[in-house]
Amino acid sequence: MIAIVWALSAAVLYGTGAALQQHQAAAAPDRAAGRPGLLLLLMRRPWWLLGIVAEIGGFATHAFALKAGPLTVVQMLLASSLVFSVGTVHLRAGRWPSRATFAAVAAVVAGIGSFVALTAPALAHSQAQPPQTALAALCLAGSALPFAVGGLVSRGRRRALLLAVGAGLADTGVAVVTMAFTHSLGHGVGGMLTSWPTYALAIGGPISL
């Protein structure tokens, strides 16, 4: 139950932060897309920085959730961040969501609820072993790379789609690493500094962003 509360809290923060960041990034000049200068431009926008603060809070609560519960259930609950992103976007725009949006939100909620109800008992004590965790993170990072590269050389909706898939895979890889990192914290500072998740998180986190 604690893991569910932490995961839903992370979803609220992630979803709200993503909506704030998207609003500011969409207003940036097209010529800045895919360039490091885009981040420098956005860092001067208070609403984008607020979104980053929300994302950092989401990461912290996400880590607590991964420490308390199985990866599969936590990640499925994080999918509800889409619901909070939609709510934030429409609240900022001052307009009511369409029927199609409501249907999509209902489908997401129903899917997440069904999955958690069916799998949570069986996964309550399921944890990946360190070698499996490292392999999973490596596979996810490798899978994200071609989508990211393809997105950077594409344009329009195709660019957005490819980058979104790459970002999703990268975020999942970071979640796997975060789970391993939370367990390494139990071995003290020395264990944290000598464990691979610490350095994988330091590299993979910014790249995922």
Side-chain angles (χ1 to χ4, degrees), residues 5 22 28 38 41 44 57 60 79 109 130 132-133 139 144 148 158-159 170 190-191 193 209:
V5 172
Q22 188 276 336
L38 175 61
L41 174 65
R44 296 194 294 268
V109 172
Q132 297 171 330
T133 303
C139 290
R158 179 181 176 84
R159 179 191 188 99
L193 294 177
L209 172 64

Side-chain angles (χ1 to χ4, degrees), residues 51-189:
I52 288 293
V53 171
E55 293 276 334
I56 293 173
F59 174 78
T61 50
H62 186 189
F64 283 121
L66 290 170
K67 178 68 174 176
L71 175 70
T72 312
V73 173
V74 170
Q75 289 304 111
M76 179 58 71
L77 286 170
L78 280 187
S80 65
S81 62
L82 177 63
V83 176
F84 300 107
S85 290
V86 169
T88 302
V89 167
H90 284 82
L91 183 63
R92 282 185 58 87
R95 62 176 189 271
W96 197 249
S98 65
R99 290 184 179 180
T101 300
F102 269 120
V105 167
V108 170
V109 172
I112 294 172
S114 299
F115 179 88
V116 172
L118 291 171
T119 62
L123 294 171
H125 303 290
S126 174
Q127 294 291 345
Q129 298 301 315
Q132 297 171 330
T133 303
L135 180 60
L138 189 61
C139 290
L140 287 163
S143 300
L145 186 59
F147 287 101
V149 173
L152 290 174
V153 299
S154 301
R155 292 291 181 270
R157 292 182 178 273
R158 179 181 176 84
R159 179 191 188 99
L161 177 62
L162 290 172
L163 287 175
V165 174
L169 289 168
D171 282 345
T172 306
V174 169
V176 172
V177 174
T178 302
M179 181 187 69
F181 176 75
T182 60
H183 291 288
S184 70
L185 291 177
H187 298 91
V189 177

